[in-house]
Amino acid sequence: MNKETSDIVDRIIYHAHNRPDKIAFGNFSYRQIAKKMCSLSLAINGLRVLVACENREESYIGMLASLHAGATYAPVDVNAPESRLNRILDKFKPTDIIVGLKDQDRFETVHRVGGECRISRQVVSDLPAYVIFTSGSTGEPKGVVISRKALNQFLRWSASDLGISHNSRVSQHPNVAFDLSVLDIYTGLYNGAQIFPIQSNLDKMFPGRCIQRNKLTHWISVPSVVDLIAKDVSIKHNDFSTLEKMIFCGEPLLPRHLEYIYNLNEKLIVVNTYGPTEATVCMTKLELTSKDWQSKINGSVALGDAIPGMEIELKDGRDNSEGEIVISGGQIAEGYWLQPELTNKLFVDNKYHTGDWAGIVDGEMYFKSRIDRQVKIQGNRVELGDIEQCIYDLTKKATACIKHQDRIIAYIEGSEINQTELLNKISENTVEYMRPYKIICLNDLPRNMNDKIDYNSLAALAEEAV
Amino acid sequence: MKKDEFLIEFSKIIKVPVDQITENEALGTTPSWDSFAQVEILILLEKEFEIEIDENTMNWYISLNRILKLVN
């Protein structure tokens, strides 16, 4: 089989024939998942498949069956609020719904993951591979449409460049409704690896012990999971001896994450990647070692270089050293599901305007902030992220700043803050118009369902506080 | 570890002063008793009271009331 031309479904069938008894995930061998994929594929009648399984392993088979049937799937988190699921159902209008054993009573007209049949060729299709519904800044689900061509291009890179082989034991941490899961599920299966779904509460809350118990070789997640691992003081130096690589995406990777990781295992290779869902998971890569990581830090870790077939440029900055990240190449999404106006606004001349602001320092690109986090104060452009970073450096506490009535309000997580002292220190580090007018301490910063700071709630709080 | 010593450590984790802690403190109810705090509490129980952290204990020790039965 030619790896250059085959896709994930072909590769599953290839492994089913060549390593039939090799475990793919759970108790399922590659032969079993190929048979389950083909059986479920036969049941799919239409073009749009909602994959709504609580169990991860059933989700994987559901997604593969949709690809095998030539349909387009949308994976959802069945534990999301009912209102969000209903909005996704309204937008996607699935022709078929795939559910697991636990979920069959929640939806009408469903197909259950379960049966097996003879392995067969997939249906040739030009339809998109999947639609991932993200939250969007308004909280309204926004469907990002990824073509089969984009998925195949991404997998050709990830399967050949991340050191995952049929001997690898790969974590599967992100929920399947989050596009980072495309990286671990499909790259692992593409290369015949064994993947380990992190779905029990125990594994989610003690990921370090999960790495040890399952002798994982590759860990893939958002960087903030490292903070959770670090809470577990029973994890000691060299406990991650089987681990070869930790691959991160979805949030800025911070110096404290790398300090912790390299104190545990100095032989680890850490891979930082960057990319919005609209670029099919990620489109830059930077490899770090214990010897060189400190040279790639500027607040957070550098984003790295564009991967093959993708390009990255900065636009609309004061000069070439800063600007909005604009990306292009074969992994770019087809657009937003049934939202042509928004698609035309953000996908211009086959380039996607990310809304992320970045800067170049010593030849490396660093994420700075979302563009919608840039405000004007007394006519001066201020990046709220810069003030948050300044306060974080002084307090080591999570911080969020907003603009309210032409003034900056800073919210700090925690209660033990000497506000006068802190304001004096901020004054030493910032120009006058950047200094917060008020600092408000909260036990917890409000967060949305993706665990990101909920700035709308903070703005509402400001109305009451000022 | 005695109850008083435990409550001092517990207070640091859930960020509530010792004299304001009540037996009603619980995961999801006490604002700062989140999943990060839950990990720290379970590790404290594992270290001081030799509980085995598994799915059962994780689902059981989610309120101070239950934890105090172990401590007493």
Side-chain angles (χ1 to χ4, degrees):
Chain A
M1 170 166 291
N2 183 354
K3 233 173 153 178
E4 289 299 309
T5 54
S6 60
D7 68 5
I8 181 63
V9 172
D10 292 336
R11 293 288 295 173
I12 296 286
I13 294 171
Y14 171 82
H15 295 309
H17 288 306
N18 289 280
R19 294 190 184 88
D21 298 323
K22 170 79 197 289
I23 294 293
F25 46 79
N27 295 319
F28 297 131
S29 67
Y30 273 91
R31 178 167 48 198
Q32 284 173 302
I33 65 166
K35 287 182 167 183
K36 285 178 186 297
M37 168 182 78
C38 292
S39 171
L40 191 54
S41 166
L42 286 175
I44 293 173
N45 299 311
L47 307 176
R48 296 180 303 281
V49 178
L50 191 81
V51 179
C53 309
E54 181 159 2
N55 180 288
R56 295 269 180 98
E57 294 156 17
E58 291 172 328
S59 296
Y60 308 156
I61 292 167
M63 298 187 300
L64 289 168
S66 173
L67 291 172
H68 186 278
T72 301
Y73 71 83
V76 291
D77 175 2
V78 290
N79 293 316
E82 202 71 28
S83 59
R84 178 175 167 82
L85 287 178
N86 287 337
R87 275 182 290 176
I88 292 174
L89 278 168
D90 278 350
K91 283 174 186 280
F92 191 58
K93 295 189 173 33
T95 53
D96 300 77
I97 301 179
I98 293 176
V99 298
L101 186 61
K102 277 177 155 184
D103 321 287
Q104 53 190 336
D105 298 331
R106 293 189 62 182
F107 302 95
E108 292 172 7
T109 325
V110 296
H111 307 304
R112 272 262 323 277
V113 178
E116 293 184 7
C117 74
R118 199 173 64 81
I119 297 170
S120 58
R121 280 173 182 266
Q122 65 175 311
V123 175
V124 176
S125 169
D126 288 331
L127 290 176
Y130 62 82
V131 178
I132 292 269
F133 283 90
T134 66
S135 287
S137 54
T138 59
E140 186 63 26
K142 186 171 72 173
V144 180
V145 182
I146 300 295
S147 69
R148 283 166 184 264
K149 199 174 156 200
L151 175 61
N152 290 344
Q153 177 173 319
F154 170 73
L155 285 176
R156 278 197 296 275
W157 165 74
S158 64
S160 62
D161 206 30
L162 295 175
I164 294 173
S165 73
H166 65 273
N167 293 319
S168 300
R169 300 167 70 84
V170 182
S171 70
Q172 204 288 291
H173 183 272
N175 189 289
V176 295
F178 179 28
D179 75 319
L180 180 53
S181 65
V182 169
L183 172 55
D184 42 29
I185 300 167
Y186 288 159
T187 310
L189 296 179
Y190 193 100
N191 283 342
Q194 184 172 353
I195 58 176
F196 292 79
I198 315 278
Q199 57 185 342
S200 71
N201 281 335
L202 184 66
D203 286 345
K204 281 180 196 166
M205 291 179 73
F206 293 89
R209 296 180 190 201
C210 176
I211 291 172
Q212 284 180 285
R213 192 175 57 257
N214 293 310
K215 297 182 171 58
L216 298 185
T217 60
H218 290 73
W219 176 265
I220 298 165
S221 73
V222 293
S224 54
V225 176
V226 177
D227 292 323
L228 196 57
I229 297 174
K231 290 273 180 199
D232 187 350
V233 290
S234 73
I235 302 293
K236 299 280 189 312
H237 183 67
N238 281 339
D239 273 355
F240 290 170
S241 56
T242 59
L243 206 55
E244 297 165 16
K245 267 188 187 171
M246 295 184 94
I247 300 159
F248 296 107
C249 190
E251 294 169 343
L253 180 63
L254 301 173
R256 69 167 187 267
H257 299 137
L258 292 171
E259 265 169 38
Y260 176 79
I261 289 167
Y262 284 121
N263 276 333
L264 280 183
N265 183 348
E266 60 273 16
K267 290 179 188 159
L268 265 175
I269 291 173
V270 173
V271 180
N272 190 32
T273 67
Y274 163 82
T277 304
E278 289 84 347
T280 314
V281 188
C282 66
M283 51 80 60
T284 70
K285 176 199 159 198
L286 177 69
E287 274 201 9
L288 302 153
T289 68
S290 60
K291 293 189 173 64
D292 68 5
W293 70 268
Q294 282 164 323
S295 65
K296 311 283 186 186
I297 303 283
N298 189 282
S300 58
V301 176
L303 303 181
D305 298 321
I307 62 177
M310 297 299 289
E311 287 184 26
I312 188 163
E313 56 191 314
L314 299 184
K315 294 264 189 182
D316 302 328
R318 279 174 294 212
D319 52 44
N320 292 336
S321 68
E322 62 164 20
E324 182 187 7
I325 298 178
V326 176
I327 57 182
S328 54
Q331 287 176 215
I332 298 297
E334 291 185 358
Y336 299 111
W337 184 255
L338 302 181
Q339 287 186 277
E341 283 180 16
L342 187 62
T343 299
N344 291 337
K345 184 179 164 194
L346 297 179
F347 294 84
V348 180
D349 297 332
N350 297 320
K351 293 180 178 184
Y352 174 66
H353 294 246
T354 63
D356 289 336
W357 196 261
I360 308 274
V361 179
D362 295 333
E364 294 286 350
M365 186 180 291
Y366 294 89
F367 172 81
K368 293 194 81 175
S369 67
R370 290 285 302 161
I371 287 181
D372 54 16
R373 302 276 296 134
Q374 289 178 349
V375 296
K376 283 261 175 104
I377 302 286
Q378 299 160 27
N380 301 289
R381 194 177 80 197
V382 173
E383 287 181 19
L384 293 169
D386 286 350
I387 309 169
E388 290 168 354
Q389 184 66 43
C390 169
I391 297 175
Y392 177 80
D393 289 343
L394 293 167
T395 64
K396 302 296 177 207
K397 291 178 187 294
T399 306
C401 293
I402 61 162
K403 179 188 171 189
H404 180 73
Q405 297 173 353
D406 207 35
R407 293 183 293 203
I408 291 164
I409 297 181
Y411 293 90
I412 301 178
E413 204 161 62
S415 53
E416 300 145 15
I417 301 281
N418 181 329
Q419 296 204 20
T420 312
E421 194 180 311
L422 178 58
L423 279 169
N424 287 337
K425 284 184 182 168
I426 294 170
S427 299
E428 290 167 17
N429 289 280
T430 57
V431 291
E432 192 183 348
Y433 57 83
M434 290 177 71
R435 290 170 201 157
Y437 163 73
K438 196 173 178 70
I439 292 176
I440 298 172
C441 294
L442 299 173
N443 275 339
D444 292 285
L445 294 174
R447 292 172 192 275
N448 62 23
M449 63 175 291
N450 291 333
D451 212 27
K452 293 185 174 172
I453 304 284
D454 182 351
Y455 289 101
N456 292 333
S457 293
L458 291 176
L461 282 176
E463 286 291 337
E464 297 165 16
V466 177
Chain B
M1 182 179 254
K2 292 178 183 161
K3 184 178 174 183
D4 290 352
E5 295 167 322
F6 170 78
L7 286 176
I8 291 170
E9 293 304 311
F10 180 76
S11 144
K12 288 180 197 164
I13 295 172
I14 66 162
K15 297 170 191 151
V16 175
V18 176
D19 58 358
Q20 290 175 26
I21 289 177
T22 72
E23 290 197 3
N24 296 326
E25 311 296 350
L27 174 66
T29 306
T30 306
S32 49
W33 190 337
D34 59 6
S35 57
F36 276 69
Q38 177 68 359
V39 168
E40 289 185 77
I41 290 165
L42 287 167
I43 288 167
L44 180 66
L45 296 181
E46 181 185 50
K47 185 173 161 234
E48 297 296 335
F49 303 101
E50 296 180 354
I51 68 154
E52 188 177 334
I53 298 178
D54 57 24
E55 286 286 330
N56 291 333
T57 51
M58 279 190 49
N59 293 330
W60 180 253
Y61 293 114
I62 53 173
S63 69
L64 182 59
N65 208 8
R66 288 181 180 175
I67 292 171
L68 287 179
K69 285 178 187 154
L70 181 74
V71 175
N72 283 326

